[in-house]
Amino acid sequence: MTSTGTVVTFYSYKGGVGRSFTLANVAVLLARWGYRVLAIDWDLEAPGLQHYFGPLLRRRPKGGVIDLAYDFLNGAKGPSAHAVRLNIEGGHLALLAAGREDDDYSRRVQGINWEDLYAQGFADFLERCRAKWTGDYDFVLIDSRTGISDIAGICTAHLPDRLVVVFTANQQSIDGVVRIAKQANAARDRLPYDRPPHFVLPILSRLDNRVEYERAEFWRRQAAESTAVLFGNWLDKNVTQQLMLRHTTVPYVSYWSFGEQLPVHEEKTPSSDQVSFALETVAAIIAQQFDRTDLLADNRDAYVAVARTHQQSYSLDLLVSVPRLESRVADELIRTMAALGLRVDRSQSGDLEFEQSSFPAKHLCLVVDGTLSRWQAVEAERFLRQTLDADGDRQLFCVLTSRTDPEALPPFLLNLRLFRLGEKLLPLQVARQLHAIVTEEPPGHDGSDLATLEDVAAVLRTVPAEVSHAGRWALIEQTVDDLAVALQNDDLRLLKDLTVDLAQLNQVRSTGDRVTASDGLHARIADLLDRVDRRIRVSTK
């Protein structure tokens, strides 16, 4: 298994500084942004993550970190499935709890001697656990025990790629995290594994600058000076430690100081004075692997937007939204673009449940026949709301049938690129243009010989199984035969014209009659398609 994920430990020298709070909210943000996240509660003496994630848990954990130790003692070669999946809309977040919370938990924790475990080879076992986790998840976030201990050493030196240190505005807390970060790097040098020096992200937590502004600013400067050494190997040279620490200061808001809460669930679009604003910034730094801090300094919102959309994955490249009574154009667009290699499907915008589901496609294409339907308007507006949060690579397209007056479109669609179907623009050609835009083909590709061959292949693949009358089959057969001759003669101009003709013949009208093809036609089409595909393969070598 190839390890691709990143392990990030959240550490604090003192308790009560908001470490678990920060980790839990960052985990939710990363998962919501499309990353696969595993949160591990390694604070075995005072586990807390389960309480933050309580409302999201599908079931109570039956095992956890402490069980990894007992699994090893019982001869296991790798981690068992102790993690539980959480309910995050559109995201993948799992929790590996400290262990099962029952009357036996304390005895099990106290029964483990970590130094003895390492003497028996537990380090190699943890390496296998680490490899499994980083293969299954993009980010593994570890909530470490405070202070100086064997467990803290595992979490700060052995396991992580990155270290997030959380502290409050007092010198003991600040000095403690700086000292532990230095000790962790020294310990990593002694490990028998390849571990480069830490990237360390300092977070000044629970700073109350609403009432005591001057004292808050004094302690922010003090913290920046004391933690300056931690920024040395990753902060852009043009960005000051003071500015970076300002971006990563989590303010104190009394409302969130009660209980175990997730403000990122309620503050979906936070303002700069809200807790979730700072938490978004921290999550973005982690998502971007502590990189591009110059962009963060110049434009924090753009930096977060890049992180939010960078790993977003979609099951489809393009969703085609169409009125329920008009499907012919949409079906032809879908068939042609699918034949060109796009992941494309018809939208279910008329389904009452569609607004509650996650948007499955990167791009949206509206096919407007006469007027924009109410369902299409809702879907388009919802897509545009999501796109405002993206980094600009998602697009909304609008295809108009001949019965549609562009002037009657809603104002928010008038600035889009419109494709107006008619004698000079067929669905085949629109499909080709949409394919070129979505796949970002180089300029000029549309007019190449390869593009002509790909059009032929796409149209041959969309010949329907049935048409409305036998005479249409005769025209299709003749066009297929003419295509074969044109290909044999390498007549690309004729190939283009015949491709357009066949695309029009493929359009099945809405009548009650259905006639199947004559014997042998689809075999001839398959043979011609095979010849075209061979030519395409030769052209792309």
Side-chain angles (χ1 to χ4, degrees):
M1 178 181 296
T2 302
S3 296
T4 57
T6 302
V7 181
V8 183
T9 287
F10 284 65
Y11 173 84
S12 63
Y13 183 72
K14 303 287 287 185
V17 302
R19 183 195 67 247
S20 300
F21 169 85
T22 303
L23 184 153
N25 281 275
V26 166
V28 170
L29 286 171
L30 290 173
R32 188 188 296 159
W33 295 348
Y35 300 90
R36 301 166 300 159
V37 182
L38 173 65
I40 301 179
D41 193 343
W42 219 297
D43 189 358
L44 303 184
E45 281 72 17
L49 285 186
Q50 183 173 332
H51 300 289
Y52 285 100
F53 294 137
L56 308 177
L57 283 170
R58 298 179 177 183
R59 60 177 176 82
R60 294 181 64 83
K62 296 181 179 179
V65 172
I66 192 63
D67 297 276
L68 293 178
Y70 284 99
D71 288 345
F72 168 73
L73 291 173
N74 291 328
K77 300 301 181 183
S80 300
H82 297 302
V84 294
R85 184 80 177 267
L86 306 182
N87 289 315
I88 294 291
E89 180 184 357
H92 187 123
L93 174 59
L95 167 66
L96 180 59
R100 183 174 185 170
E101 291 191 350
D102 55 21
D103 294 339
D104 195 43
Y105 176 76
S106 296
R107 182 194 61 79
R108 288 167 60 80
V109 171
Q110 294 168 5
I112 294 296
N113 184 311
W114 296 96
E115 185 176 352
D116 287 348
L117 278 183
Y118 265 75
Q120 297 178 53
F122 188 61
D124 290 338
F125 177 81
L126 281 184
E127 281 297 294
R128 292 190 290 272
C129 293
R130 187 182 188 279
K132 179 68 167 61
W133 296 332
T134 55
D136 292 343
Y137 298 94
D138 299 307
F139 291 100
V140 180
L141 309 183
I142 299 177
D143 194 16
S144 172
R145 181 184 176 185
T146 59
I148 302 172
S149 66
D150 293 334
I151 293 177
I154 293 173
C155 297
T156 58
H158 184 170
L159 289 175
D161 302 296
R162 306 282 188 266
L163 190 58
V164 174
V165 292
V166 185
F167 56 92
T168 51
N170 65 76
Q171 205 61 48
Q172 182 182 184
S173 182
I174 297 170
D175 291 345
V177 296
V178 172
R179 183 167 62 253
I180 288 297
K182 292 179 178 178
Q183 291 176 358
N185 271 332
R188 286 162 76 83
D189 290 339
R190 299 190 295 270
L191 290 174
Y193 312 107
D194 184 16
R195 296 284 194 274
H198 273 313
F199 285 1
V200 184
L201 174 63
I203 295 178
L204 177 54
S205 180
R206 298 185 173 178
L207 185 71
D208 188 353
N209 59 0
R210 299 188 180 191
V211 178
E212 298 290 344
Y213 178 79
E214 291 185 2
R215 288 182 62 81
E217 286 303 300
F218 169 81
W219 274 102
R220 194 175 347 229
R221 291 193 299 272
Q222 185 81 357
E225 293 174 4
S226 298
T227 61
V229 65
L230 304 182
F231 292 99
N233 60 345
W234 63 273
L235 187 62
D236 186 276
K237 63 181 181 180
N238 295 316
V239 181
T240 65
Q241 294 92 347
Q242 290 85 354
L243 177 59
M244 181 55 57
L245 193 64
R246 185 173 296 276
H247 277 300
T248 61
T249 296
V250 179
Y252 172 78
V253 178
S254 60
Y255 179 82
W256 300 116
S257 66
F258 299 98
E260 294 83 11
Q261 302 185 74
L262 295 172
V264 296
H265 261 328
E266 297 185 29
E267 301 173 347
K268 293 296 178 65
T269 54
S271 58
S272 59
D273 62 340
Q274 291 181 301
V275 170
S276 294
F277 191 84
L279 293 170
E280 281 187 341
T281 307
V282 172
I285 294 171
I286 292 172
Q288 300 202 60
Q289 302 286 356
F290 293 39
D291 197 10
R292 303 187 66 184
T293 50
D294 55 334
L295 174 59
L296 173 57
D298 290 339
N299 190 328
R300 176 267 177 197
D301 291 345
Y303 186 82
V304 172
V306 171
R308 183 186 290 121
T309 59
H310 178 70
Q311 290 281 12
Q312 182 68 54
S313 61
Y314 304 94
S315 57
L316 298 171
D317 298 308
L318 184 71
L319 198 65
V320 179
S321 177
V322 63
R324 281 171 283 182
L325 298 180
E326 171 57 58
S327 62
R328 180 179 55 81
V329 171
D331 290 343
E332 185 170 354
L333 286 172
I334 289 170
R335 286 196 303 267
T336 304
M337 287 188 286
L340 291 170
L342 287 185
R343 300 172 301 163
V344 59
D345 201 355
R346 179 174 173 170
S347 168
Q348 301 297 318
S349 60
D351 184 346
L352 292 175
E353 298 298 322
F354 88 92
E355 196 168 10
Q356 280 72 46
S357 61
S358 58
F359 207 90
K362 185 173 184 179
H363 307 289
L364 175 65
C365 175
L366 300 174
V367 176
V368 183
D369 183 42
T371 59
L372 187 72
S373 74
R374 180 166 62 92
W375 291 114
Q376 286 181 297
V378 172
E379 187 168 33
E381 290 173 354
R382 176 170 172 260
F383 175 84
L384 288 173
R385 284 199 303 270
Q386 293 185 4
T387 305
L388 287 175
D389 291 334
D391 57 358
D393 65 342
R394 302 183 70 191
Q395 298 186 63
L396 174 62
F397 308 105
C398 201
V399 177
L400 310 182
T401 68
S402 58
R403 296 188 294 177
T404 305
D405 179 8
E407 299 299 323
L409 292 175
F412 75 91
L413 293 181
L414 294 180
N415 292 327
L416 298 179
R417 179 176 179 179
L418 303 178
F419 299 85
R420 304 183 64 178
L421 294 173
E423 293 183 359
K424 295 184 178 181
L425 186 62
L426 299 174
L428 164 70
Q429 295 164 317
V430 172
R432 161 61 70 182
Q433 292 181 45
L434 290 176
H435 174 268
I437 294 170
V438 170
T439 58
E440 299 181 343
E441 290 180 339
H445 184 76
D446 278 352
S448 68
D449 294 351
L450 177 59
T452 300
L453 293 171
E454 289 175 341
D455 281 344
V456 173
V459 174
L460 287 172
R461 288 189 173 93
T462 59
V463 172
E466 298 175 330
V467 297
S468 55
H469 56 83
R472 181 175 289 267
W473 275 127
L475 293 173
I476 290 175
E477 287 192 59
Q478 183 60 56
T479 306
V480 170
D481 291 340
D482 291 344
L483 279 168
V485 173
L487 182 68
Q488 180 68 33
N489 295 333
D490 204 23
D491 190 339
L492 294 177
R493 182 182 295 275
L494 181 57
L495 272 176
K496 290 180 182 180
D497 293 339
L498 291 171
T499 299
V500 173
D501 293 341
L502 184 57
Q504 292 178 309
L505 291 169
N506 285 347
Q507 299 176 17
V508 180
R509 302 294 187 244
S510 299
T511 68
D513 298 329
R514 286 290 183 267
V515 182
T516 58
S518 61
D519 293 339
L521 174 59
H522 286 295
R524 285 149 60 195
I525 291 174
D527 178 69
L528 178 56
L529 187 57
D530 182 63
R531 291 167 56 194
V532 173
D533 284 340
R534 287 201 300 270
R535 288 279 295 272
I536 291 174
R537 288 195 292 272
V538 170
S539 299
T540 54
K541 286 184 178 179

